[in-house]
């Protein structure tokens, strides 16, 4: 006996008509973009759409440009800094000593 679910195995928009039922697709342009690793990607854009200057490479994630001989530079990744490294950038050792002395004086009840 059949299960009774008539739309099982189909999806929205599926049907035998194809292009005739959905209408004609917009005219497209395929633009080539190259990343610094030499990967080429060719996304398609509507012919009247504004083409971006850069596109993310789907293989390596680096930015890709339209000039094959001069692709954009990959982003520089900064190494992870600890909280202490940021504090040391803002304060000198003398400032740290003064803050420590003030905190110890508060704990001892001198202030």
């Amino acid at each position: 006996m059949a299960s009774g679910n008539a739309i099982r195995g189909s999806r929205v928009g599926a049907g035998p008509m194809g292009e005739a039922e959905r209408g004609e697709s917009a005219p497209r342009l395929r633009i080539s973009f190259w990343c610094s690793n030499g990967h080429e990607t060719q996304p398609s854009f509507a012919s009247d759409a504004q083409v971006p200057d850069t596109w993310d490479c789907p293989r390596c994630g680096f930015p890709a440009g339209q000039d094959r001989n001069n692709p954009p530079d990959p982003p520089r990744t900064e190494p992870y800094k600890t909280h202490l490294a940021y504090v040391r950038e803002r304060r000198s050792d003398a400032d740290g000593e003064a803050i420590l002395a003030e905190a110890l004086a508060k704990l001892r009840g001198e202030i």
Side-chain angles (χ1 to χ4, degrees), residues 27-43:
R28 299 268 177 200
L29 295 173
R30 292 192 68 90
I31 307 293
S32 292
F33 289 89
W34 288 273
C35 71
S36 60
N37 286 335
H39 302 140
E40 179 184 11
T41 183
Q42 290 184 329

Side-chain angles (χ1 to χ4, degrees), residues 57-73:
C57 177
R59 290 180 65 190
C60 63
F62 286 170
Q66 295 180 31
D67 186 2
R68 182 180 203 161
N69 298 323
N70 191 16
D73 293 329

Side-chain angles (χ1 to χ4, degrees), residues 7-28:
I7 61 170
R8 183 175 181 179
S10 66
R11 65 179 196 272
V12 174
M17 295 305 215
E19 284 292 317
E21 188 174 296
R22 289 184 293 230
E24 296 297 318
S25 58
R28 299 268 177 200

Side-chain angles (χ1 to χ4, degrees), residues 39-52:
H39 302 140
E40 179 184 11
T41 183
Q42 290 184 329
S44 61
F45 298 95
S47 61
D48 58 347
Q50 182 179 0
V51 178

